[in-house]
């Protein structure tokens, strides 16, 4: 598979447990993520990477019922989980998606993949407003299988194993890290659209978001 979205998902979030099951306008957050990613033109496969803990059994059941592909791995060693999932599906490029981003936009995932393909980056991103004007929560991160293999080999500390790309950021002089700005109508870097806390969730439920909204419509409602 050339372009594989691996969705990092779990039930036991420290700040807001079970948040992935929370409802936004009739759909749980994990369904928002799955259905919105399915609109991508560049993705060849979407896989939810869950921990192998008992607490995540219910999430696996609900994802499978939805028609999503689920693979499971280490709860705390995220690098190992991603690496093994990528190996199993023969991924060439890995697009990391956070399952607490209900308004992930297929258009911006596609824009990221297109950017990566011509940028010669080792790692690229548009999921957070860091050196770009993107809102927080509508994009993703991308690297090649070769880079993921290198991370898996070289990242040894718990800090570098528990977060997929911490090793790259802590060794940024050795890697080409690139990002880019969105179109002007999406350039709202102060906008936070992910769900970390109950306060984040309540803010998002106060507005009339629809699961099939475009990126432009999401921004307008926000």
């Amino acid at each position: 598979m050339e372009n594989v979205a691996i969705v990092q998902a779990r039930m036991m979030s420290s700040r807001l447990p079970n948040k992935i099951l929370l409802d936004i306008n009739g759909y749980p957050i994990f369904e928002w993520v799955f259905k919105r990613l399915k609109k991508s033109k560049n993705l060849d496969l979407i896989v939810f990477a869950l921990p192998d803990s008992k607490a995540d059994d219910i999430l696996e059941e609900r994802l499978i019922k939805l028609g999503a592909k689920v693979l499971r791995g280490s709860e705390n060693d995220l690098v190992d989980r991603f690496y093994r999932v990528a190996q199993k599906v023969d991924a060439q490029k890995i697009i990391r998606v956070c399952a607490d981003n209900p308004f992930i936009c297929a258009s911006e995932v596609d824009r990221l993949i297109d950017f990566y393909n011509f940028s010669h980056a080792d790692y690229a991103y548009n999921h957070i407003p860091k050196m770009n004007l993107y809102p927080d929560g509508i994009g993703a991160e991308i690297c090649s299988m070769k880079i993921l293999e290198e991370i898996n080999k070289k990242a040894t500390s718990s800090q570098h194993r528990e977060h997929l790309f911490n090793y790259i950021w802590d060794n940024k002089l050795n890697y080409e890290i690139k990002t880019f700005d969105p179109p002007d109508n999406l350039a709202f870097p102060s906008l936070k659209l992910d769900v970390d806390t109950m306060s984040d969730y309540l803010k998002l439920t106060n507005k009339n978001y629809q699961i099939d909204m475009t990126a432009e419509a999401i921004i307008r409602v926000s």
Side-chain angles (χ1 to χ4, degrees):
M1 294 287 181
E2 184 173 0
N3 299 316
V4 178
I6 300 181
V7 184
Q8 180 181 326
R10 62 172 179 162
M11 293 288 289
M12 299 309 293
S13 168
S14 57
R15 284 181 286 183
L16 185 58
N18 303 331
K19 66 182 176 181
I20 197 169
L21 301 183
L22 292 174
D23 181 275
I24 297 177
N25 206 13
Y27 300 94
I29 287 175
F30 70 81
E31 189 165 347
W32 276 80
V33 174
F34 181 56
K35 288 188 172 179
R36 291 181 62 78
L37 278 177
K38 284 180 70 176
K39 292 179 177 291
S40 166
K41 297 175 182 177
N42 289 346
L43 290 176
D44 299 302
L45 181 66
I46 301 166
V47 184
F48 281 77
L50 274 56
D52 51 16
S53 63
K54 183 72 174 176
D56 291 283
D57 288 352
I58 185 173
L59 179 56
E60 179 180 27
E61 291 172 10
R62 294 189 63 174
L63 283 165
I64 290 173
K65 187 175 181 180
L66 188 63
K69 183 175 181 63
V70 179
L71 292 172
R72 301 179 70 166
S74 173
E75 182 170 12
N76 297 316
D77 189 340
L78 191 65
V79 171
D80 183 74
R81 194 195 316 172
F82 264 72
Y83 180 66
R84 290 178 183 274
V85 168
Q87 274 190 320
K88 286 179 182 177
V89 299
D90 196 25
Q92 295 178 37
K93 296 167 192 167
I94 294 87
I95 296 88
R96 175 183 175 264
V97 173
C98 290
D100 59 5
N101 291 357
F103 306 129
I104 182 84
C105 294
S107 62
E108 303 319 298
V109 172
D110 287 345
R111 206 185 304 272
L112 172 68
I113 294 169
D114 289 340
F115 172 81
Y116 179 81
N117 286 339
F118 73 73
S119 71
H120 304 292
D122 293 314
Y123 160 78
Y125 66 95
N126 66 342
H127 66 305
I128 54 173
K130 185 174 183 176
M131 296 182 289
N132 65 52
L133 297 176
Y134 263 96
D136 187 340
I138 68 171
E141 303 169 88
I142 185 171
C143 74
S144 66
M145 186 62 187
K146 179 182 177 182
I147 292 295
L148 183 57
E149 286 174 344
E150 187 170 322
I151 295 171
N152 187 53
K153 181 179 179 181
K154 294 183 176 180
T156 56
S157 71
S158 59
Q159 179 186 357
H160 290 154
R161 303 298 302 186
E162 292 172 359
H163 302 277
L164 189 61
F165 292 119
N166 271 10
Y167 179 82
I168 284 184
W169 281 106
D170 286 346
N171 294 274
K172 55 181 177 288
L173 295 180
N174 299 326
Y175 295 96
E176 285 288 335
I177 300 173
K178 295 187 178 182
T179 189
F180 57 100
D181 286 328
D184 289 346
N185 60 350
L186 302 182
F188 291 88
S190 63
L191 193 59
K192 187 179 189 300
L193 294 170
D194 59 350
V195 180
D196 289 323
T197 65
M198 181 56 72
S199 176
D200 293 336
Y201 170 67
L202 293 175
K203 286 177 184 177
L204 298 181
T205 57
N206 284 336
K207 298 180 180 178
N208 189 29
Y209 293 108
Q210 302 297 319
I211 201 166
D212 59 352
M213 277 181 166
T214 63
E216 292 81 2
I218 291 286
I219 298 300
R220 281 198 304 270
V221 169
S222 303

